[in-house]
Amino acid sequence: MKTFTTNPYVGLRPFEVDESILFFGRNEQTLELLQKLHENHFIAVVGSSGSGKSSLLRAGLIPALKAGYLVDDSDNWLIFIMKPGQNPLYNLVETVLVELKHQPDSNSINTIVKQLKEVGAEVIFKLIEQSGNLKNASFFLLVDQFEELFRITMEQDNLAKNDEAIDFVNIILELAQQTAIPFYVVITMRSDFIGDCAQFFGLPEYMNKSQYLVPRLNRVQLKAVIEGPAKLFGGKLEPSLTSRLINELSNVKDELPLLQHALMRMWDFETTVNKSGTIDLEDYQSIGGIEKALSNHADEALVGMSDEDLRITKIIFQSLTTIDENKRKIRRPVLLSKLIELTGSTEEHLLHIIDFFIKDRRSFLIVNETGVNSDRIIDISHESLIRQWNTLSVWVDQEGESAFIYLQLAEASKQNSQNKKDFLTGSELQLLLDWRNRFKPSAIWASRYKKGFEECMNYLSASVAERTRLINIEKSRKRKLEYLNYAIMGLLLIIAFGGVWLWQKAKIKENEANVQNEIAIKNLRDFKIAQAGKQEIEFNNLESRANIILGAYGCPESIVIAMDALLSDYKKLDINPHIVTQWRDKIKVIKNKNKYCK
């Protein structure tokens, strides 16, 4: 393989008009478009993202027009190529003036735009007539990425933008249907936006008359796309690699942009590193395969960036993408001046970072002049980058989540202003506070989604203040309750200590009473013992007397009665039962001795 300083594959970006020699596999589709354009002066070319719509028109149809295949072998064509962008009428006028060799400034363009709104397409015809030497010329207008127009209509609160979108559609339809000059209009649009066309009067009818759905390439056509450019540059692809590429394309989205990018990367690797003479599987594997080649290439641009550069890069790409109401991830061109406000960086620094994604054949970003105050518009070259670059996909999801939270806050703030909603509380408030602290939104960022950022932030701050007030009230209530608990506990302790003191005092008195009782009992016991002793002496005396009298006179009954009485007193005095028993026995003895005693 010869080593060239150029590359036959265009990569992610669409083919341009002067690259038709490298454009393979679309001859049949080009002829079909020529036939439709001959029958109708308006064609809507639709297809999925990455189906090759732009390349088919730029490198297929337009070169065929210039070659004289449509109008009597005439090659006298004025080709106007534009995108609606944010100012479709301005872009249309600027494109026409530039092609007519004018050197327009923003003031002259805005003047003509005003006339367009008032008069219509006739203004374009007058511009063409004033240019002269164009009597035998034919005119072709390509409105690429027509779906950008629907971004304008999404801004429902911007009536002026909506009116401009309607005016733009009316003018291009008027250009196509008039017969004064041969004027042809072609628009390209993603097929998933077809339903959105119904909002423009007359557009669905024109599309029904002449709509072209871009077909997928068959294996033969894909083989030509893969091998044809390499052969022009003296290169060669290994047949097994061609087969593998064709097979794997059926499993991926954005097949043609990914294929062109992978081929471009393999060509560069083969000519600068591998140098084997043939683009083969080794080259294919080195770039990460068709599914990872684009993501890996984009990540390489981040290598070596400072933290500040990475922060700005993230903001740039999040600004250039959005998720529409149908959950589609789409491009969103942004003015350089807007990016400066969003990032807080300088123009020079921003362009330096943007260049990382343009140089080294990345072509991921596009920078175009706007003609307004020397501003420029930054755009992603192809939406496949949004879907295929893993890092960007994460950034887009984060941006979408942040925008969703902000829109929720905006709706809550609106309801609060209408007395339909109280302050934010609980998990809802905490979610928004976490979002504010983590994302740090700004008014310039919020304006891309919904106006009223200051009101939203005030409502959020007021909700925080209300929560703080309620927390303080609750803290105060808890403090009072704690003080009351402490007071009750203190009172209970006092009562407890008092109870213990009273119990101890009662115990002391009880002990003193017990001591007194014991003393009294002891005294009583001593008294009884003394009495018992006295009675025992007295009993013994009676016993002696009874024995003496018994021996002399017989039974002394009175003495026995006295002894029984003493015995009864002993029982009352709780005298030792043994003594009582002895006394009872003695009485029995005395009675037994006296036969006269009973």
Side-chain angles (χ1 to χ4, degrees):
M1 175 188 290
K2 297 179 182 178
T3 302
F4 291 88
T5 57
T6 56
N7 194 311
Y9 301 101
V10 300
L12 193 63
R13 66 171 177 80
F15 282 85
E16 296 297 340
V17 175
D18 57 359
E19 294 173 326
S20 61
I21 191 175
L22 300 173
F23 189 66
F24 287 83
R26 291 292 193 182
N27 292 333
E28 291 182 18
Q29 287 80 31
T30 299
L31 293 175
E32 290 170 353
L33 284 174
L34 286 170
Q35 181 62 34
K36 280 187 172 293
L37 206 58
H38 174 72
E39 297 170 356
N40 302 281
H41 283 225
F42 177 89
I43 303 178
V45 178
V46 298
S48 60
S49 179
S51 61
K53 301 179 295 296
S54 296
S55 296
L56 173 59
L57 293 170
R58 293 169 184 259
L61 179 61
I62 292 177
L65 294 178
K66 289 186 173 182
Y69 285 100
L70 183 63
V71 183
D72 298 329
D73 295 329
S74 173
D75 59 358
N76 188 12
W77 284 86
L78 259 69
I79 307 296
F80 309 116
I81 301 176
M82 62 162 293
K83 296 178 183 179
Q86 297 175 324
N87 302 286
L89 290 179
Y90 185 99
N91 293 340
L92 172 61
V93 172
E94 182 180 33
T95 301
V96 171
L97 291 177
V98 170
E99 188 64 27
L100 292 175
K101 309 304 180 184
H102 292 276
Q103 294 182 347
D105 55 49
S106 59
N107 291 331
S108 61
I109 294 174
N110 286 323
T111 299
I112 299 174
V113 167
K114 184 177 179 181
Q115 294 173 0
L116 266 180
K117 293 179 179 179
E118 296 174 352
V119 180
E122 186 179 341
V123 175
I124 302 294
F125 302 145
K126 289 183 178 181
L127 289 174
I128 293 174
E129 290 176 0
Q130 293 171 1
S131 297
N133 299 324
L134 296 176
K135 292 182 179 181
N136 297 322
S138 298
F139 305 90
F140 179 83
L141 171 63
L142 170 59
V143 183
D144 203 4
Q145 297 176 8
F146 185 80
E147 65 269 12
E148 289 182 354
L149 207 62
F150 302 125
R151 267 197 296 272
I152 297 176
T153 60
M154 287 170 57
E155 301 176 5
Q156 298 177 359
D157 56 346
N158 194 331
L159 296 178
K161 286 289 185 181
N162 287 337
D163 290 342
E164 181 173 352
I166 294 172
D167 289 338
F168 177 76
V169 172
N170 291 336
I171 288 169
I172 65 172
L173 293 180
E174 187 178 350
L175 289 172
Q177 68 184 4
Q178 58 78 42
T179 57
I181 60 176
F183 207 110
Y184 301 85
V185 177
V186 175
I187 66 172
T188 68
M189 181 175 61
R190 277 173 47 179
S191 52
D192 49 335
F193 282 90
I194 289 179
D196 295 291
C197 295
Q199 61 188 289
F200 297 108
F201 181 78
L203 181 58
E205 289 77 7
Y206 264 85
M207 292 182 64
N208 288 337
K209 289 180 182 179
S210 184
Q211 177 178 304
Y212 185 78
L213 179 61
V214 177
R216 295 186 65 175
L217 298 178
N218 57 38
R219 295 185 67 89
V220 174
Q221 293 166 335
L222 284 173
K223 187 174 186 296
V225 169
I226 294 170
E227 297 180 348
K231 290 180 180 179
L232 286 178
F233 277 65
K236 185 174 70 171
L237 276 85
E238 192 175 77
S240 60
L241 174 60
T242 300
S243 297
R244 181 168 178 176
L245 286 171
I246 294 174
N247 291 335
E248 293 190 355
L249 283 176
S250 61
N251 300 322
V252 297
K253 295 181 179 180
D254 308 302
E255 58 179 24
L256 294 182
L258 290 183
L259 176 62
Q260 281 292 324
H261 181 269
L263 289 168
M264 178 198 72
R265 292 281 283 163
M266 286 189 287
W267 179 278
D268 285 342
F269 185 82
E270 170 60 31
T271 56
T272 59
V273 179
N274 195 15
K275 299 181 181 180
S276 65
T278 302
I279 299 178
D280 52 22
L281 290 175
E282 181 181 351
D283 301 311
Y284 181 67
Q285 293 169 353
S286 70
I287 66 169
I290 198 165
E291 291 186 348
K292 296 182 179 180
L294 180 55
S295 187
N296 291 347
H297 196 196
D299 282 335
E300 289 176 9
L302 304 177
V303 177
M305 281 191 177
S306 65
D307 291 342
E308 177 64 10
D309 287 347
L310 287 172
R311 182 190 72 84
I312 293 174
T313 300
K314 182 178 180 179
I315 295 175
I316 290 173
F317 278 97
Q318 286 180 329
S319 303
L320 294 173
T321 55
T322 189
I323 301 176
D324 67 10
E325 56 188 6
N326 295 316
K327 308 303 180 185
R328 296 172 296 202
K329 295 179 179 179
I330 59 176
R331 299 161 38 255
R332 175 173 52 185
V334 178
L335 291 173
L336 180 61
S337 57
K338 194 83 168 181
L339 287 177
I340 292 173
E341 294 178 351
L342 282 167
T343 61
S345 184
T346 63
E347 178 179 333
E348 182 181 3
H349 191 190
L350 279 176
L351 292 175
H352 174 70
I353 293 176
I354 290 171
D355 189 54
F356 280 111
F357 299 93
I358 297 176
K359 66 182 182 180
D360 296 332
R361 297 185 61 82
R362 289 191 179 90
S363 304
F364 297 155
L365 295 178
I366 300 173
V367 181
N368 290 320
E369 301 292 335
T370 64
V372 181
N373 300 324
S374 300
D375 206 348
R376 278 165 279 190
I377 193 164
I378 313 300
D379 195 6
I380 291 175
S381 60
H382 200 282
E383 286 180 349
S384 59
L385 181 68
I386 304 174
R387 293 181 288 272
Q388 302 299 332
W389 184 15
N390 297 332
T391 301
L392 178 54
S393 184
V394 172
W395 288 347
V396 174
D397 289 338
Q398 291 174 349
E399 175 75 5
E401 178 186 0
S402 183
F404 176 75
I405 294 174
Y406 170 67
L407 291 175
Q408 283 186 315
L409 174 60
E411 180 61 25
S413 176
K414 178 182 177 181
Q415 292 184 2
N416 176 260
S417 65
Q418 298 172 349
N419 297 321
K420 295 180 180 179
K421 185 178 178 65
D422 295 329
F423 288 113
L424 300 165
T425 59
S427 59
E428 183 182 19
L429 174 58
Q430 193 58 49
L431 172 68
L432 288 164
L433 289 177
D434 292 343
W435 164 76
R436 184 181 67 178
N437 296 334
R438 183 179 70 255
F439 189 73
K440 296 179 176 55
S442 63
I444 187 67
W445 171 85
S447 64
R448 300 160 59 199
Y449 299 101
K450 198 172 187 65
K451 295 180 180 178
F453 175 76
E454 295 299 330
E455 291 81 354
C456 290
M457 292 298 104
N458 290 338
Y459 173 57
L460 182 56
S461 298
S463 297
V464 174
E466 177 65 11
R467 183 180 71 172
T468 302
R469 186 183 73 84
L470 294 176
I471 290 175
N472 290 335
I473 291 175
E474 181 64 16
K475 286 182 178 179
S476 177
R477 187 188 69 79
K478 287 184 178 180
R479 280 197 299 269
K480 291 179 181 179
L481 183 60
E482 288 177 357
Y483 293 154
L484 179 60
N485 289 336
Y486 290 149
I488 293 173
M489 289 176 62
L491 180 59
L492 291 175
L493 287 174
I494 292 173
I495 293 173
F497 286 132
V500 171
W501 179 78
L502 291 174
W503 176 80
Q504 290 177 339
K505 189 173 182 181
K507 194 69 176 177
I508 292 172
K509 288 184 177 182
E510 182 183 354
N511 292 337
E512 290 176 351
N514 290 335
V515 171
Q516 294 297 326
N517 288 338
E518 290 177 358
I519 293 174
I521 292 170
K522 183 176 181 300
N523 292 336
L524 179 61
R525 186 182 298 112
D526 292 344
F527 172 75
K528 287 183 177 181
I529 292 173
Q531 287 294 103
K534 182 179 178 182
Q535 287 183 346
E536 184 177 4
I537 294 171
E538 189 175 340
F539 184 90
N540 289 334
N541 291 334
L542 287 174
E543 181 186 9
S544 298
R545 289 173 61 193
N547 289 327
I548 293 172
I549 295 172
L550 181 65
Y553 305 103
C555 180
E557 184 176 352
S558 60
I559 294 175
V560 172
I561 292 171
M563 290 175 70
D564 285 334
L566 285 172
L567 182 60
S568 177
D569 287 339
Y570 263 92
K571 291 180 180 179
K572 293 178 182 178
L573 292 173
D574 295 328
I575 299 301
N576 192 329
H578 181 66
I579 296 175
V580 174
T581 301
Q582 287 179 350
W583 285 8
R584 186 179 292 113
D585 292 339
K586 288 180 180 181
I587 293 173
K588 288 181 179 180
V589 171
I590 293 173
K591 287 182 177 182
N592 290 332
K593 286 181 179 181
N594 188 355
K595 58 183 179 180
Y596 302 105
C597 293
K598 294 180 180 181

